[in-house]
Amino acid sequence: MAEDNISHYRSSLRNSRLSQLISKPRDVKKPHGSGPLESTTELGYLDSSRIYVDGQYSGLGSELICSICHNVLWKPVACSTCENAFCVKCIRSWTDKQIDYRATCPFNCVFKEKRVPPILNSLLSKLQFYCAYASNGCEQLLPYDALEKHEETCSYERIPCGICEKPISNRDPNNKHELRECFKDMHDRSPQQIQAQFMKLLDVIEASQRRIEALEKLVSIPKQRK
């Protein structure tokens, strides 16, 4: 019975214009390899290259592809008119850009958001993916439904500082990695001459800043009358 439902769902979508849209070139902006990595939820899409391919994998059906970003559906919602599904971030960004008060989906339907059918979530749950931080060293293979929770706490979210190589996390905005701390860490590990000079330079800069602040305070004090 479940297989019949899947076949029926797929055939109903094939009759739409989805196949026309998924053949278009991808234009999704992906994070640069040298910058901080982002979780799937932060990105708002799930790159199809992260699918784990094994003997059980039979290919990605078009019903699991967002026709806006052309990647695997992430937190999908559907259009109540044409029943096609989109990543929630993709379709909301799509409709927000429209001037007409009656927003349309990519199939020119008047768009009204609805939940996707359970069969779609069932198909997605059968897929396994690499963690978003795989390039940082995470080797976890995760089912679709476990991705978000894992990436919220994945220890490989941290990336090395480009100067001192200390792993830095971007989760906590209060976690500041200041230049002095960076050079001090380099100096402690390998006190080479050039690194020692950097430390001296920072000492001079900070001493100058303190003198400037002291002078500013003196200037701001009103002169006493004799």
Side-chain angles (χ1 to χ4, degrees):
M1 182 65 71
E3 293 298 326
D4 291 340
N5 291 337
I6 293 173
S7 299
H8 177 73
Y9 179 70
R10 285 175 169 166
S11 62
S12 65
L13 286 180
R14 289 194 192 100
N15 294 329
S16 70
R17 287 176 288 172
L18 183 59
S19 59
Q20 298 174 13
L21 290 176
I22 63 174
S23 63
K24 292 184 178 180
R26 299 183 181 187
D27 57 358
V28 179
K29 293 182 179 179
K30 298 180 180 178
H32 299 293
S34 58
L37 296 177
E38 294 180 290
S39 69
T40 308
T41 298
E42 289 171 323
L43 292 170
Y45 67 86
L46 179 50
D47 195 324
S48 55
S49 65
R50 288 173 52 194
I51 297 175
Y52 173 64
V53 178
D54 60 4
Q56 303 295 321
Y57 180 69
S58 58
L60 187 65
S62 60
E63 70 278 359
L64 302 182
I65 299 175
C66 173
S67 57
I68 298 175
C69 72
H70 303 280
N71 284 290
V72 182
L73 290 165
W74 181 246
K75 296 190 174 182
V77 294
C79 172
S80 61
T81 307
C82 66
E83 300 289 336
N84 284 297
F86 314 93
C87 302
V88 65
K89 187 173 182 178
C90 289
I91 191 61
R92 289 179 181 174
S93 177
W94 176 281
T95 55
D96 286 346
K97 294 176 182 177
Q98 297 181 28
I99 301 174
D100 194 340
Y101 74 97
R102 297 183 69 186
T104 59
C105 80
F107 299 96
N108 293 322
C109 304
V110 175
F111 180 75
K112 186 176 180 181
E113 187 177 305
K114 62 172 284 188
R115 292 182 179 180
V116 295
I119 191 66
L120 184 60
N121 290 322
S122 177
L123 290 170
L124 288 168
S125 68
K126 294 179 181 180
L127 298 175
Q128 284 195 309
F129 297 87
Y130 294 101
C131 173
Y133 305 115
S135 60
N136 279 355
C138 183
E139 298 180 352
Q140 289 280 345
L141 285 176
L142 303 147
Y144 181 91
D145 297 331
L147 267 179
E148 182 174 20
K149 185 176 181 180
H150 167 80
E151 291 174 359
E152 285 176 353
T153 57
C154 180
S155 59
Y156 289 93
E157 177 264 349
R158 300 184 301 169
I159 60 169
C161 168
I163 299 174
C164 69
E165 299 184 349
K166 179 180 179 180
I168 306 300
S169 174
N170 293 290
R171 288 196 182 108
D172 184 2
N174 297 318
N175 183 19
K176 296 180 180 179
H177 183 60
E178 296 180 349
L179 188 61
R180 183 175 183 82
E181 179 189 350
C182 187
F183 283 123
K184 184 178 185 304
D185 185 70
M186 293 172 64
H187 178 265
D188 291 344
R189 284 189 284 119
S190 179
Q192 298 174 11
Q193 184 64 28
I194 189 169
Q195 293 173 358
Q197 289 175 347
F198 274 126
M199 294 300 294
K200 291 179 182 179
L201 176 61
L202 286 170
D203 286 336
V204 172
I205 292 172
E206 290 183 355
S208 298
Q209 288 175 338
R210 287 193 294 269
R211 285 196 294 269
I212 292 171
E213 290 172 358
L215 287 171
E216 288 175 343
K217 289 179 180 179
L218 286 173
V219 171
S220 64
I221 297 175
K223 293 181 180 180
Q224 295 180 354
R225 294 181 180 180
K226 292 182 180 180

